Amino acid sequence: MDEKNLAKADPPLLNRFEKQKMSINDILDDRQKIIVENLGEWARRMSTLVGANQITQLRNKFTQKDLFIGFDKDETLQSLVIDITKDNPEADDDEILEKCKEILIAIASSDGVVRAERSSLERDEVERWKQVYFHQQNHDSLYDYFADLFSQLANPKGHLVIVNTFSNINTDVKSCLQELVKCQVDKLSTFKTEAQLSNRVSQSNDLIR
């Protein structure tokens, strides 16, 4: 049971079972814990502004959630390290750390990357990741992002991708893709159950094939 739902659980049900608390940190080995700690320090420094007085800092509070879209202090770094170490069993700690940083930069907001110029991270480090964000990764165009994705080595399992954007919900996705790929556009608000969404996805896959 998710700890967040514990308060709403039925007490008689809870009393029937032995209770043990487990978090994602419990499945990290010693090596992964060290990498998570180093990655966390890097993320903290990159989102800590310096050179501004205390009043300005309080008024313009800049956190890791502002820098990295969807950041969760209890799960994001841990799950990232687990995934990268699993996919790169031969990589050393420094390589794992760099790959994790690159993925974090990929989910950063553009204004957050610019603000990082005033962070406590070394200027050379910030400039390097700005170069990666603005010139190596694709954040300006949906077309460019998918064109780059499809140009990479084919993945037999396909690609499971979430694109976060500040664009209007009514943006014409098909127009943005410029016929690069066939796509089915649906709004989640039109589905009332998970089954409806699953059926729609299955129908779409049949059409594409």
Side-chain angles (χ1 to χ4, degrees):
M1 177 181 291
D2 192 315
E3 186 178 10
K4 297 176 182 177
N5 300 326
L6 190 60
K8 299 179 182 178
D10 188 17
L13 174 66
L14 294 178
N15 290 335
R16 297 177 188 173
F17 303 99
E18 176 184 350
K19 273 75 73 178
Q20 295 187 20
K21 181 179 178 180
M22 177 177 289
S23 73
I24 194 170
N25 292 305
D26 296 318
I27 63 175
L28 297 172
D29 59 32
D30 292 339
R31 178 198 180 199
Q32 291 172 332
K33 288 179 181 178
I34 293 174
I35 297 175
V36 167
E37 184 177 343
N38 291 334
L39 185 61
E41 175 63 15
W42 176 84
R44 184 193 65 77
R45 292 186 61 193
M46 193 169 188
S47 60
T48 302
L49 300 182
V50 295
N53 61 49
Q54 187 175 9
I55 295 178
T56 302
Q57 287 183 347
L58 290 174
R59 185 181 300 138
N60 303 308
K61 192 174 182 181
F62 184 48
T63 67
Q64 293 175 357
K65 285 187 176 182
D66 297 315
L67 177 58
F68 305 113
I69 305 299
F71 186 88
D72 185 318
K73 63 181 180 63
D74 296 319
E75 295 186 2
T76 298
L77 302 184
Q78 294 88 333
S79 59
L80 177 57
V81 170
I82 290 172
D83 186 58
I84 296 300
T85 52
K86 178 183 177 181
D87 291 342
N88 301 272
E90 304 299 324
D92 61 30
D93 291 2
D94 289 338
E95 290 176 296
I96 296 294
L97 188 60
E98 284 299 298
K99 289 180 181 294
C100 288
K101 290 179 180 180
E102 186 173 351
I103 291 177
L104 280 178
I105 288 296
I107 63 169
S109 62
S110 55
D111 62 310
V113 174
V114 173
R115 283 196 209 182
E117 293 180 348
R118 300 184 61 185
S119 73
S120 62
L121 206 63
E122 289 80 4
R123 187 56 184 262
D124 290 346
E125 176 88 350
V126 173
E127 289 299 325
R128 180 163 71 90
W129 290 116
K130 278 181 61 181
Q131 180 70 21
V132 170
Y133 185 90
F134 289 109
H135 300 288
Q136 296 180 25
Q137 297 177 348
N138 295 282
H139 297 279
D140 297 328
S141 164
L142 197 62
Y143 178 92
D144 290 342
Y145 174 81
F146 280 104
D148 181 67
L149 183 67
F150 296 148
S151 69
Q152 300 172 15
L153 293 177
N155 186 338
K157 296 182 180 179
H159 298 282
L160 183 60
V161 176
I162 296 177
V163 178
N164 295 290
T165 174
F166 293 108
S167 298
N168 187 286
I169 192 173
N170 296 314
T171 298
D172 188 341
V173 176
K174 290 186 177 181
S175 176
C176 292
L177 291 174
Q178 302 175 37
E179 299 184 354
L180 173 68
V181 62
K182 291 182 179 179
C183 70
Q184 175 68 46
V185 180
D186 292 295
K187 294 182 179 179
L188 290 179
S189 60
T190 63
F191 301 101
K192 295 182 178 180
T193 66
E194 181 181 348
Q196 289 179 339
L197 176 60
S198 297
N199 290 336
R200 181 59 172 167
V201 171
S202 298
Q203 293 171 5
S204 300
N205 288 337
D206 293 337
L207 289 174
I208 292 175
R209 293 195 191 99

